[in-house]
Amino acid sequence: MNYTFDFNAVSLGPLIEGLVVTLELTIAANLIGVILGFPLALLLMSRIAVIRWPATLFVEFFRCTPAIVQIVWFFYCVPMLFNVFLGSMTMGILALGLNLMAFNAEAYRASIQAVPREQLDAGIALGLNPFQRVFHIVLPNALRASIPVLLTNGIVIFQQSALVAIVAVQDLMYQAKTLATETYRPIETFTIAALIYFAVSFPVTQVVGWLERRRQILTS
């Protein structure tokens, strides 16, 4: 192989700017997913079919279709169908946020089902109404139990955010593609981009592993 590597030809400035956009996407999507995933989980567990089935359809749609299709659909179809014109960044946040919301809802549902019945009975004995039981008993327990899964889903969204480059969101991947084209150094450029994704993802995965081990110790 006669290829000569030259990492100095790759400017880090545009990649850092792209990383900032990627982190903004990830944080916004996680806020949507973490906050709205819990009420969606409650709808999934409703005994009323007319409430449960639309929520189930929503979750299954986002879980069973590729994220790239969801992003493209939001970017091209929403303006045509609903006459709503939003920026590509906003569309990317909505697509990723709703995707994460669906996955987090399943995590919350599993955690809610694991809440000890004794605690709910104690809430009833204390005279708490259903909303108070959800807010003071179910939510804290479900949130605490699902933290490892929520963090894992969050880092997956961080990685999947690279897909928004196809709709011209100037994230890390978009900047890497542009830089690779300008410098004719795709190997160096995408290697550095991959290392940046790794540098952000790896610490979070370590935290998830530590939380899982800690929970196993506490429950054993």
Side-chain angles (χ1 to χ4, degrees), residues 54-87:
T56 301
L57 180 62
F58 175 91
V59 169
E60 294 305 321
F61 171 80
F62 280 96
R63 292 181 65 205
C64 299
T65 56
I68 190 170
V69 173
Q70 298 164 17
I71 292 169
V72 171
W73 193 91
F74 268 87
F75 188 79
Y76 291 105
C77 299
V78 168
M80 296 173 63
L81 293 175
F82 305 105
N83 200 32
V84 175
F85 298 91
L86 302 173

Side-chain angles (χ1 to χ4, degrees), residues 80-101:
M80 296 173 63
L81 293 175
F82 305 105
N83 200 32
V84 175
F85 298 91
L86 302 173
S88 55
M89 181 76 169
T90 303
M91 289 295 190
I93 290 172
L94 284 175
L96 294 174
L98 294 178
N99 178 285
L100 184 58
M101 178 180 164

Side-chain angles (χ1 to χ4, degrees), residues 103-165:
F103 282 90
N104 282 354
E106 286 296 327
Y108 280 127
R109 179 164 67 168
S111 298
I112 291 170
Q113 292 172 339
V115 174
R117 181 67 197 179
E118 293 80 5
Q119 294 190 21
L120 296 175
D121 292 340
I124 295 173
L126 291 172
L128 300 181
N129 61 44
F131 176 80
Q132 290 174 323
R133 293 199 297 272
V134 169
F135 187 78
H136 294 290
I137 299 175
V138 177
L139 177 58
N141 279 281
L143 184 60
R144 183 165 53 251
S146 58
I147 283 177
V149 180
L150 297 180
L151 287 174
T152 300
N153 291 345
I155 205 63
V156 169
I157 284 296
F158 168 72
Q159 295 164 354
Q160 287 187 338
S161 68
L163 299 173
V164 301

